Amino acid sequence: MIHFTLFGIPIYIRPTFWIVLAIFGGILGVSSVESLIYPALFVIAGFIAILSHELGHALVGRKLGGGQQTIILELFGGVTSSHGVQLTRAGRVLMILAGPMMTLVLGVISILVAWNIVGPVLTANGKDFWDLVLYPYLATAVSPKLYILSCLIMIGEWWTVLNLLPIYPLDGGQLVAQFVRSPKKVFMTGFITSIAIGLVSFQLFHGYFIPIFMALFAFSNYREYKNAPF
């Protein structure tokens, strides 16, 4: 496990974090040593985006409620734990929203950099700028520099949208929990949303990644629903 401190916040990174990011980055399909650069760049982009996201939670939580924040990066993302923090409901909402907003800002900055610096390179290679936003792997045909920007755009924008879905324990689900008193309703909302998003994504994109991801969330929310007291 890697451990360091940033802005006075302890940060722990477990090996599973790097493994899952590398799999998402396509390392299982690598056929040569030279092509390892692209999974490696995806891992770097994912690390920057997810750490920024969790720092958003931690810094706002510390500012509004004091206490000690701890960040753990593992598996599919990160978790910010708060100890001794005193927050109002409005403060909790702001702390929850701070993470997605940090990721969104990172994505917007990446779009601006790509638009102004490497946009002409895309045109010269017969590609449209929005191809970079929607299909980051197209950037591998141009340059590694463009690819890491494309990954930051994809993670910054699309992960923000995904993370704000009303699915617990995503930030959207935690926002729902701030306004809905019944845990059963929170988890049932997450269960139904997970199934709906999984089916729609399969219908539109015919891929298995998002449906499998949503199936895991559906199972988790249904299990919590069964165990919730009311």
Side-chain angles (χ1 to χ4, degrees):
M1 179 187 293
I2 298 174
H3 170 227
F4 60 94
T5 300
L6 189 61
F7 304 120
I9 300 168
I11 298 168
Y12 300 86
I13 309 176
R14 292 179 174 156
T16 53
F17 177 76
W18 306 114
I19 293 170
V20 171
L21 273 183
I23 292 173
F24 285 173
I27 197 168
L28 297 180
V30 167
S31 57
S32 65
V33 175
E34 290 77 12
S35 58
L36 278 172
I37 185 173
Y38 293 104
L41 290 173
F42 183 89
V43 169
I44 292 171
F47 169 69
I48 292 171
I50 294 171
L51 180 58
S52 299
H53 178 101
E54 297 304 326
L55 280 172
H57 290 313
L59 292 173
V60 170
R62 186 172 66 183
K63 179 70 174 178
L64 295 178
Q68 176 61 55
Q69 311 290 326
T70 302
I71 294 174
I72 300 176
L73 303 183
E74 59 182 349
L75 288 174
F76 297 106
V79 176
T80 297
S81 301
S82 303
H83 308 282
V85 176
Q86 300 294 324
L87 289 172
T88 62
R89 184 169 69 176
R92 291 193 298 272
V93 168
L94 287 174
M95 181 179 175
I96 292 168
L97 287 174
M101 291 307 100
M102 283 287 285
T103 316
L104 181 64
V105 167
L106 182 65
V108 170
I109 291 172
S110 300
I111 287 176
L112 293 175
V113 171
W115 184 280
N116 289 287
I117 296 179
V118 296
V121 178
L122 278 174
T123 303
N125 284 268
K127 299 183 185 303
D128 183 83
F129 174 79
W130 294 108
D131 289 338
L132 174 69
V133 177
L134 298 173
Y135 308 105
Y137 283 98
L138 291 177
T140 60
V142 182
S143 75
K145 177 175 65 176
L146 186 59
Y147 180 67
I148 194 168
L149 280 171
S150 186
C151 289
L152 286 171
I153 293 169
M154 179 188 69
I155 296 170
E157 306 309 318
W158 296 117
W159 173 247
T160 299
V161 173
L162 176 65
N163 197 44
L164 287 175
L165 292 174
I167 301 171
Y168 202 88
L170 296 178
D171 289 334
Q174 295 191 48
L175 282 173
V176 171
Q178 301 305 311
F179 299 97
V180 177
R181 291 191 59 190
S182 169
K184 279 189 175 292
K185 290 182 179 179
V186 172
F187 296 128
M188 182 51 65
T189 299
F191 174 72
I192 294 172
T193 305
S194 299
I195 292 176
I197 295 298
L199 292 174
V200 169
S201 66
F202 183 75
Q203 183 69 25
L204 292 177
F205 307 114
H206 305 292
Y208 292 96
F209 171 70
I210 294 179
I212 290 173
F213 206 49
M214 289 296 110
L216 292 173
F217 280 126
F219 172 76
S220 173
N221 276 264
Y222 183 73
R223 183 181 59 190
E224 295 296 335
Y225 168 82
K226 296 290 286 185
N227 295 329
F230 61 92

